[in-house]
Amino acid sequence: MVFKGVQPEKGGVEGVVDVGIIVIAHFENPAKDYALEFLKDILLWRKRCLIPVTAFLGAYHILTNYLGVEGVSACEALKKTFETKSPALYTNISFELAVEALTNAMGYRIDSWGGSLQLPKLIQRP
């Protein structure tokens, strides 16, 4: 089944991953190794789940504002995940805009959504 708005090559999706798994996989905690393994399976498309690129903006916010992860560390780790160009990454916004938002959030010490001020006009709509 292909859902409306999902890129056609991503049919047969089993689920959608949100902020929680991304956060747990990107900071030191007892479940990190399990989350990383799960995320690895998703990024390698062994588990056919989508991860909206916007979820990384939410993950940055939680990592830096609630879990005390340094902005530089959070930004670099999240951007590294984009480098996989995995088919699991659902580009509801472009990678470029997400990287810009994370970089702005880190550099200006603002919320990751504030780092993407152009977001409303650049969201890709079906």
Side-chain angles (χ1 to χ4, degrees):
M1 169 185 241
V2 177
F3 298 97
K4 184 177 180 175
V6 173
Q7 291 106 334
E9 70 277 9
K10 295 183 182 179
V13 172
E14 298 172 37
V16 177
V17 172
D18 202 9
V19 175
I21 296 294
I22 298 167
V23 168
I24 293 169
H26 286 88
F27 85 103
E28 291 305 319
N29 68 85
K32 181 179 180 178
D33 291 340
Y34 299 107
L36 279 171
E37 192 61 35
F38 186 69
L39 189 58
K40 178 181 171 184
D41 284 346
I42 292 168
L43 292 171
L44 292 173
W45 210 227
R46 290 190 287 234
K47 292 188 186 299
R48 295 178 59 86
C49 299
L50 296 179
I51 308 171
V53 170
T54 51
F56 289 83
L57 303 184
Y60 180 87
H61 177 76
I62 293 169
L63 287 166
T64 57
N65 291 306
Y66 296 102
L67 298 173
V69 175
E70 186 179 316
V72 174
S73 298
C75 183
E76 291 305 314
L78 295 170
K79 288 185 340 187
K80 190 86 169 152
T81 307
F82 290 150
E83 291 174 12
T84 67
K85 299 289 187 188
S86 168
L89 296 171
Y90 176 64
T91 52
N92 53 340
I93 63 170
S94 69
F95 291 117
E96 294 78 17
L97 181 58
V99 168
E100 181 181 339
L102 292 171
T103 302
N104 288 341
M106 176 190 63
Y108 296 112
R109 296 182 184 193
I110 58 175
D111 182 85
S112 50
W113 289 105
S116 61
L117 295 176
Q118 299 177 32
L119 185 63
K121 61 184 173 184
L122 295 176
I123 290 180
Q124 299 171 5
R125 304 208 187 265

